[in-house]
Structure formats: C-alpha cells, structure tokens
Amino acid sequence: MPTNKFEQKALKQINLNEGLVSKLAGFFLGSKFRKSMKEIERMKQADPEFAAGMASLAQNYKVVEDMLDRLCKKHPDHPNCK
C-alpha cells in the first residue's frame, strides 16, 4: 500500500480513471475484457510496483498522444496521421 499522502492521492486518481475506462470498455467488449480487468486488479492489489508501473504507462501514453497530435498539426501528410 502507498506510504505517503502523495502516493495515496495518486493511486486514488488512477483508480478513478481506470474505473471509468474499464466500465466503458467493458460495456463495449464484454466478458473477456471484464475477466482480464479483474485479473489485472488482483495483480495491482498484490504488487504496488505493478500498480505504479501501470500508472507510469498510462502517463507515458498520454505524452505520446500529445506528441502525435503536435506532429499531425505540423505535418498533416505524415504516415502516422490519420
């Protein structure tokens, strides 16, 4: 479990964001997704380093999306821009 207030606050925000995303995706993808999300939640509860890694992955994904948006604004003909 998180040891300080910052970690607790960050974990609470992560859980809120993941809860919303998982509910939406579960609605669209069905039982396979729900089963895998339950397994991921068990892993996160068992290993705080895994939870921190997942949070870091989500943050880095947002950074890459922002970079891709800037690239597409500058170079709309780039192959990575749809």
Side-chain angles (χ1 to χ4, degrees):
M1 292 304 294
T3 56
N4 62 31
K5 290 181 183 180
F6 174 74
E7 288 178 353
Q8 290 174 350
K9 189 175 181 181
L11 188 58
K12 182 187 261 187
Q13 183 65 33
I14 291 166
N15 289 337
L16 288 175
N17 291 340
E18 288 177 353
L20 176 64
V21 170
S22 66
K23 285 181 184 179
L24 289 173
F27 177 73
F28 292 111
L29 299 176
S31 66
K32 280 188 175 182
F33 178 78
R34 282 183 281 222
K35 187 184 288 185
S36 64
M37 287 303 293
K38 285 181 183 178
E39 184 177 335
I40 289 173
E41 285 298 320
R42 282 191 293 254
M43 291 171 66
K44 280 178 26 183
Q45 295 296 327
D47 188 9
E49 289 182 12
F50 179 76
M54 293 294 287
S56 177
L57 178 65
Q59 182 62 32
N60 289 336
Y61 183 76
K62 289 177 186 176
V63 169
V64 170
E65 281 185 326
D66 291 341
M67 291 171 69
L68 185 60
D69 288 342
R70 288 194 308 263
L71 173 74
C72 290
K73 285 180 183 177
K74 288 183 179 179
H75 308 284
D77 297 333
H78 193 276
N80 288 337
C81 301
K82 295 179 183 177

